[in-house]
Amino acid sequence: MNYDLYIITDQRISHGKSHLEVAEAALTGGATVIQFRDKEMEDSEAIEVCRKIYELTKKKGISFIVNDRVEVTRIVQADGVHLGQEDQSLDFARKILNQNQIIGISVDTAEQAIEAEKEGADYLGVGPIYPTATKLDAGRALGVTRLKEIKEAVSIPVIAIGGIDEDNLEEVLRAGADGVAVISAVVGAPDITQACRKLKNKIEYIKKKLNR
Ligand code: TZP
Ligand code: MG
């Protein structure tokens, strides 16, 4: 699984583009993971949208993750689900999903990270690393020192999120992030494909430089 550039769909900042259109543009730009994230949509509609995104990602051999919705993840047989600390538990998700489906967990401390790894999380999301306006209840920025601390505490992949753009990309990768999850810098850009491609090229360049 390649977590390099993990793009999260968001219809609120996409200048009228649908989740599917956002996903399509990001895939063309080289996203390595697509996550469907919508806090308002009814599950019935989310299932329809996720089925279409899933089909698209499979054509490209890219992973598709669903935010929050364990049941939707099961129904559309997405590659996995991403859960926050306040969402359904990892244990519950494991019971509902197949053994080969991925479960990602949001953590903001090394303690939570160790706990999630012990419970069988496949990867961790850590953030917000920088201030962000995209998630209003995201809490204070954690900074890259915390990211480094978490990375050193676990052996599963650690994905940085929150306020990440091409200017701070190198700092988060240097702190140990295995990949970056991005919303506004890509989804809010006038040209999603181009914004994505630019970030992707930069990630590959920095990783090569860091021998990773
Ligand atoms: N979780 C922590 S920060 C965040 C989420 C979903 C928002 C990330 O969006 P952006 O626009 O890349 O800061
Ligand atoms: Mg959540």
Side-chain angles (χ1 to χ4, degrees):
M1 176 112 178
N2 179 342
Y3 290 101
D4 280 5
L5 184 54
Y6 184 132
I7 300 298
I8 302 174
T9 67
D10 190 333
Q11 277 183 180
R12 301 165 307 169
I13 59 162
S14 57
H15 308 288
K17 290 184 201 76
S18 67
H19 288 292
L20 185 64
E21 287 165 336
V22 168
E24 189 163 24
L27 283 171
T28 305
T32 61
V33 182
I34 300 289
Q35 182 193 111
F36 166 83
R37 182 174 186 270
D38 190 307
K39 302 290 182 187
E40 265 100 53
M41 196 180 276
E42 294 289 334
D43 274 356
S44 55
E45 190 183 350
I47 288 166
E48 293 310 306
V49 174
C50 285
R51 283 209 164 106
K52 291 183 185 142
I53 299 177
Y54 179 73
E55 218 175 283
L56 208 65
T57 55
K58 285 319 102 184
K59 276 191 199 142
K60 289 250 182 184
I62 293 299
S63 305
F64 175 49
I65 307 283
V66 175
N67 186 266
D68 291 348
R69 307 177 196 234
V70 176
E71 197 56 26
V72 173
T73 305
R74 183 187 67 78
I75 291 167
V76 308
Q77 282 302 300
D79 298 297
V81 69
H82 186 89
L83 301 172
Q85 294 288 322
E86 320 282 282
D87 295 321
Q88 282 166 310
S89 71
L90 212 157
D91 236 27
F92 171 81
R94 269 290 169 241
K95 286 197 184 96
I96 301 290
L97 301 177
N98 290 338
Q99 277 315 303
N100 53 355
Q101 282 177 295
I102 291 164
I103 303 176
I105 301 290
S106 295
V107 299
D108 46 37
T109 65
E111 290 71 31
Q112 285 176 355
I114 291 163
E115 175 76 10
E117 181 178 48
K118 202 159 49 183
E119 287 176 5
D122 294 291
Y123 77 89
L124 302 176
V126 179
I129 305 298
Y130 304 105
T132 178
T134 311
K135 181 174 158 77
L136 295 175
D137 62 349
R140 279 185 52 200
L142 301 173
V144 288
T145 310
R146 176 68 60 83
L147 173 64
K148 191 161 184 277
E149 221 175 88
I150 290 172
K151 173 65 189 173
E152 284 165 2
V154 296
S155 53
I156 51 179
V158 171
I159 315 306
I161 187 168
I164 296 172
D165 58 24
E166 57 172 313
D167 297 326
N168 54 36
L169 193 57
E170 178 148 3
E171 188 179 45
V172 289
L173 291 174
R174 278 188 185 276
D178 295 284
V180 292
V182 178
I183 305 183
S184 51
V186 165
V187 179
D191 185 335
I192 291 177
T193 298
Q194 192 188 50
C196 212
R197 192 166 284 141
K198 220 167 158 192
L199 274 178
K200 178 74 178 298
N201 289 340
K202 201 157 179 186
I203 292 166
E204 284 177 352
Y205 173 79
I206 295 165
K207 279 197 156 182
K208 203 170 280 170
K209 197 164 75 176
L210 300 176
N211 282 318
R212 298 223 304 260

